């Protein structure tokens, strides 16, 4: 949106996300060891892998919640977290990073709704405070969004009065209220009771059908097969295998993928 | 019991057992009753209390002025202490080691020395810093004032209390901020909110639930600590009582009268604390219910 319309970025060639040899370390522990990935606009990419494989970390690098140590990462044609000029990288200011994040919605495993605000206030907060849009307009849109995720009758409830599945759907509506170009899902159903998983996946499926570009870290292979355009299997900080969900799930090429899938399917 | 009929229909008879006797409780209750009776008797008959003397001064002009000074000192000290405390807490949580170190040093000094001693120093501040001025550090000054003239007793007393209180409030605020789940800041960042917005809109309102109860205690402590500004010296309630009995020699009546005033003010503060805590429990299961009730009572507002 605002700051992101600065000039073309030929390196990312019309891609929504482009990762080039992305490395990330926490202290001496290298979590990402050179990730190369491309997400086209409108694509739904599911990322699977054992815990500790670096998939959540990679997702968090995409909206700069984690700083990468090496490589390059572009979102919507813009280098994430840095500005390149004259062959040198400059760190972006907090304000500029915040502006980049407005284009990217994120849904967390543990919802992270603001507990002191109602569902409606949660959804309205960012458009009102960050984009400074008029309150009446935002409210109308927020009610529409909450209705779209099936919570039109819960707008005045606080998160503590909602089930896990309802909270996660509010979180999705909250991210959508910023009208992002890309949505990131970090294991959105892992903290839910089994009977509540379906309603969240259904909401995500609707979103995919509406053409949203999505990167979904998940353990829901059924969702990946049904909704995903591509499936990425990560292990030990690298992308082991990548392809359409049907290919990868039905006919995994790598030993590690076969091992993992035999455990979860 | 009322379910004798049910008993006939298969449900066993309700238990009717002889309860365990608690002679200790009866004895304890009797002791307390006797003590209370003795105390009431003392209040009603003691000559030393001289209720009429207390009544004569309770609403007299000098006492009311003392009460006013006590109240404004408490408010000023708490407001100033909270504001400065938030700044110090943010400094202690800062990524900048110099800011962290400075805040730590501040806390080290103001928590490590007695308030009474600090207030004595404020009384002699003119000796410590003869002049205050605006200028370039270690360079020329553009304007200079005599400290004695600039800092009168009221300012010295309130500054002394504020600076001391800020050290304690800083720790309370810091604990409150740390109590807020890290995921909250991440969610706010992911939405593109700035650090300031995140702090003001997301973190602090939630931290308040942890901050308010100890701050209530601090306020009530402060009400009583204002009596220490006699060290400056500045005249508040206790000081006024002392001034009066210095000429009338009615020591106990004046001190008891001061206690009555303190009790009245602290009672009012406790009521305020109750409502403040309820306000900041918004979103917790308890607070939400209270608000829902209010909304229904208010005729379905909120929209």
């Amino acid at each position: 949106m605002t700051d992101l319309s600065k000039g073309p970025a030929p390196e990312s060639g019309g891609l929504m996300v482009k990762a080039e040899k992305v490395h990330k370390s926490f202290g001496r522990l290298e979590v990402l060891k050179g990730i190369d990935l491309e997400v086209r606009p409108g694509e739904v990419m599911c990322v699977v892998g054992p815990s500790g494989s670096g998939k959540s970390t990679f997702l968090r690098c995409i909206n700069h919640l984690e700083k990468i140590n090496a490589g390059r990462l572009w979102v919507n044609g813009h280098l994430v977290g840095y500005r390149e000029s004259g062959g040198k990288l400059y760190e972006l200011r907090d304000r500029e990073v915040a502006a980049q994040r407005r284009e990217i919605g994120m849904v967390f495993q543990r919802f992270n709704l603001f507990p002191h605000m109602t569902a409606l206030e949660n959804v309205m907060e960012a458009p009102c405070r960050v984009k400074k849009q008029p309150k009446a307009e935002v409210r109308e849109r927020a009610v529409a969004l909450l209705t779209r995720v099936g919570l039109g009758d819960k707008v005045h409830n606080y998160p503590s009065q909602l089930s896990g599945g309802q909270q996660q759907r509010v979180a999705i509506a909250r991210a959508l209220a910023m009208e992002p170009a890309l949505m990131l899902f970090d294991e959105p159903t892992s903290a839910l009771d089994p009977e509540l998983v379906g309603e969240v996946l259904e909401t995500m499926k609707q979103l995919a059908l509406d053409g949203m570009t999505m990167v979904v870290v998940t353990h829901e292979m059924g969702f990946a097969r049904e909704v995903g355009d591509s499936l990425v299997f990560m292990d030990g900080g690298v992308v082991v295998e990548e392809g359409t969900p049907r290919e990868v799930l039905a006919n995994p090429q790598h030993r590690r993928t076969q091992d993992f899938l035999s455990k979860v399917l | 019991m009322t379910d004798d009929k049910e008993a006939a229909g298969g449900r066993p008879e309700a238990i009717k057992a002889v309860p365990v006797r608690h002679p200790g409780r009866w004895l304890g209750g009797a002791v307390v009753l006797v003590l209370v009776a003795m105390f009431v008797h003392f209040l009603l008959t003691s000559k030393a209390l001289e209720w009429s003397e207390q009544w004569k001064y309770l609403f007299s002009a000098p006492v009311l002025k003392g009460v006013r000074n006590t109240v404004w000192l408490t408010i000023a000290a708490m407001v100033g202490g909270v504001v400065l405390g938030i700044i110090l807490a943010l400094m202690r949580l800062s990524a900048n080691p110099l800011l962290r170190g400075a805040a730590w040093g501040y806390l080290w000094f103001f928590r490590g020395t007695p308030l009474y001693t600090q207030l004595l120093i404020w009384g002699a501040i003119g000796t410590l810093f003869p002049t205050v001025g605006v200028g370039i550090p270690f360079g020329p000054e553009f304007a200079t004032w005599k400290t004695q003239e600039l800092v009168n007793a009221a300012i010295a007393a309130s500054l002394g209390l504020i600076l001391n209180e800020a050290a304690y409030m800083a720790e309370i605020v810091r604990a409150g901020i740390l109590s807020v789940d890290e995921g909250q800041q991440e969610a706010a960042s992911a939405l593109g909110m700035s650090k300031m917005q995140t702090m003001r809109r997301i973190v602090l309102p939630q931290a308040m639930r942890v901050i308010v109860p100890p701050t209530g205690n601090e306020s009530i402590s402060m009400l009583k600590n204002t009596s220490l500004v006699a060290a400056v010296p500045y005249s508040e309630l206790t000081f006024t009582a002392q001034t009066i009995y210095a000429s009338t020699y009615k020591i106990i009546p004046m001190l008891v009268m001061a206690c009555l005033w303190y009790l009245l003010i602290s009672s009012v503060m406790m009521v305020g604390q109750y409502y403040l805590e309820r306000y900041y429990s918004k979103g917790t299961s308890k607070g939400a219910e209270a608000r829902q009730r209010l909304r229904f009572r208010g005729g379905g507002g909120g929209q």
Side-chain angles (χ1 to χ4, degrees):
Chain A
M1 289 253 112
T2 37
D3 281 3
L4 292 174
S5 44
K6 286 182 204 152
E11 298 92 335
S12 66
L15 293 167
M16 184 57 79
V17 180
K18 181 177 162 78
E20 219 176 71
K21 302 190 182 66
V22 169
H23 286 255
K24 170 69 191 173
S25 306
F26 293 109
R28 301 166 84 182
L29 180 72
E30 191 166 45
V31 180
L32 299 180
K33 300 170 183 165
I35 302 287
D36 290 288
L37 273 180
E38 294 181 349
V39 184
R40 296 181 317 278
E43 179 177 344
V44 176
M45 174 182 278
C46 293
V47 183
V48 302
S51 57
S53 59
K55 53 195 194 306
S56 283
T57 303
F58 176 66
L59 199 70
R60 293 160 59 82
C61 288
I62 296 177
N63 70 351
H64 209 51
L65 282 179
E66 305 288 355
K67 265 187 191 169
I68 63 175
N69 301 112
R72 293 281 192 280
L73 193 52
W74 291 268
V75 171
N76 214 1
H78 300 276
L79 203 54
V80 174
Y82 301 93
R83 182 160 40 82
E84 197 162 22
S85 133
K88 259 175 113 173
L89 279 185
Y90 297 87
E91 272 188 13
L92 292 185
R93 293 166 192 283
D94 288 345
R95 195 159 23 86
E96 295 166 316
V97 173
Q100 282 193 337
R101 286 185 179 134
R102 284 170 216 168
E103 290 243 301
I104 310 168
M106 182 147 186
V107 175
F108 298 87
Q109 184 178 354
R110 304 212 51 86
F111 330 136
N112 296 354
L113 288 181
F114 306 133
H116 57 303
M117 298 180 183
T118 62
L120 185 65
E121 287 165 348
N122 264 280
V123 178
M124 289 174 64
E125 180 67 13
C128 282
R129 301 281 159 179
V130 178
K131 285 190 169 172
K132 316 251 186 251
Q133 291 170 334
K135 216 171 167 183
E137 191 186 298
V138 172
R139 171 186 286 270
E140 206 173 302
R141 235 169 357 104
V143 171
L145 274 170
L146 284 167
T147 309
R148 186 168 142 199
V149 299
L151 295 170
D153 55 338
K154 302 279 187 196
V155 293
H156 293 307
N157 285 42
Y158 284 92
S160 62
Q161 299 167 315
L162 299 172
S163 74
Q166 292 170 335
Q167 288 189 53
Q168 193 62 297
R169 285 185 280 152
V170 174
I172 293 171
R174 177 175 72 174
L176 290 176
M178 287 297 278
E179 298 169 319
L182 168 68
M183 284 282 284
L184 307 176
F185 292 84
D186 187 5
E187 301 196 28
T189 57
S190 297
L192 295 177
D193 290 338
E195 77 272 21
L196 303 176
V197 168
E199 61 190 64
V200 172
L201 292 181
E202 187 52 38
T203 305
M204 289 166 62
K205 187 177 156 189
Q206 282 308 317
L207 198 55
L209 290 176
D210 290 343
M212 177 61 75
T213 314
M214 296 160 59
V215 180
V216 186
V217 170
T218 186
H219 294 294
E220 299 291 332
M221 298 302 160
F223 176 83
R225 185 183 297 128
E226 191 188 349
V227 183
D229 297 309
S230 56
L231 183 70
V232 170
F233 174 71
M234 278 179 72
D235 191 14
V238 295
V239 172
V240 175
E241 197 163 342
E242 191 184 354
T244 68
R246 256 166 230 292
E247 281 166 21
V248 179
L249 290 175
N251 190 17
Q253 299 299 309
H254 274 264
R255 187 60 198 268
R256 281 190 279 176
T257 319
Q258 290 162 5
D259 280 354
F260 176 73
L261 290 178
S262 72
K263 280 176 204 148
V264 297
L265 284 181
Chain B
M1 306 281 144
T2 54
D3 40 9
D4 283 347
K5 274 179 203 158
E6 278 178 50
R11 191 170 184 273
E13 198 185 337
I15 290 174
K16 286 172 201 155
V18 180
V20 175
R21 306 293 173 200
H22 294 286
R25 286 185 197 167
W26 285 98
L27 190 68
V31 169
V32 167
L33 270 181
V34 170
L35 288 175
V36 168
M38 284 169 71
F39 183 64
V40 170
H41 178 255
F42 160 77
L43 286 181
L44 293 177
T45 59
S46 168
K47 297 254 184 313
L49 289 170
E50 295 186 64
W51 293 106
S52 59
E53 186 73 15
Q54 290 190 38
W55 182 250
K56 202 164 91 192
Y57 284 101
L58 191 60
F59 299 107
S60 68
V63 170
L64 286 182
K65 184 164 178 264
V67 169
R68 204 163 58 232
N69 284 348
T70 291
V71 169
W72 88 251
L73 264 181
T74 307
I75 294 171
M78 285 315 296
V79 171
V82 166
V83 171
L84 192 54
I86 290 176
I87 295 171
L88 284 165
L90 293 177
M91 282 170 71
R92 282 208 73 184
L93 294 169
S94 154
N96 183 336
L98 272 177
L99 289 185
R100 275 205 310 271
W104 185 88
Y106 182 98
L107 262 64
W108 174 75
F109 179 80
F110 282 96
R111 294 202 307 174
T113 55
L115 175 56
Y116 187 72
T117 315
Q118 288 171 24
L119 288 167
L120 284 171
I121 293 176
W122 277 102
I125 197 73
T127 324
L128 186 60
F129 302 109
T131 60
V132 276
V134 179
I136 298 164
F138 305 107
E141 283 189 4
F142 306 131
T144 308
W145 296 274
K146 277 218 166 85
T147 309
Q148 211 83 58
E149 291 160 13
L150 199 66
V151 183
N152 60 27
I155 293 178
S158 47
L159 278 178
L161 293 175
I162 286 172
L163 264 51
N164 183 266
E165 184 56 31
Y168 291 91
M169 281 311 304
E171 286 300 272
I172 291 173
V173 172
R174 188 171 72 105
I177 290 174
L178 290 178
S179 77
V180 177
D181 181 32
E182 230 176 295
Q184 293 289 308
Q185 293 192 40
E186 283 191 353
S189 301
L191 286 168
M193 294 175 78
S194 70
K195 283 198 170 131
M196 275 289 279
Q197 282 175 328
T198 305
M199 194 44 79
R200 214 167 43 80
R201 297 282 308 168
I202 308 299
V203 176
L204 281 180
Q206 293 182 61
M208 287 308 268
R209 250 176 58 215
V210 174
I211 293 173
V212 167
T215 304
N217 287 340
E218 287 292 309
S219 307
I220 289 168
S221 290
M222 181 54 73
L223 170 69
K224 296 166 298 177
N225 284 343
T226 54
S227 63
L228 295 175
V229 300
V232 169
Y234 182 67
S235 169
E236 42 61 68
L237 182 53
T238 301
F239 193 87
T240 307
Q242 284 178 305
T243 317
I244 295 171
Y245 71 62
S247 58
T248 64
Y249 301 107
K250 311 278 189 191
I251 299 175
I252 289 296
M254 287 305 100
L255 291 179
V256 171
M257 177 205 68
C259 284
L260 290 177
W261 269 114
Y262 284 118
L263 281 171
L264 175 73
I265 303 167
S266 58
S267 305
V268 171
M269 289 167 79
M270 284 162 82
V271 173
Q273 184 180 7
Y274 168 78
Y275 282 101
L276 209 59
E277 276 180 34
R278 204 176 66 169
Y279 175 79
Y280 281 110
S281 66
K282 235 172 28 168
T284 60
S285 39
K286 240 171 144 181
E289 274 165 32
R291 267 169 67 95
Q292 289 269 312
R293 270 204 302 281
L294 280 179
R295 181 171 299 135
F296 289 136
R297 204 180 301 154
Q303 256 288 11

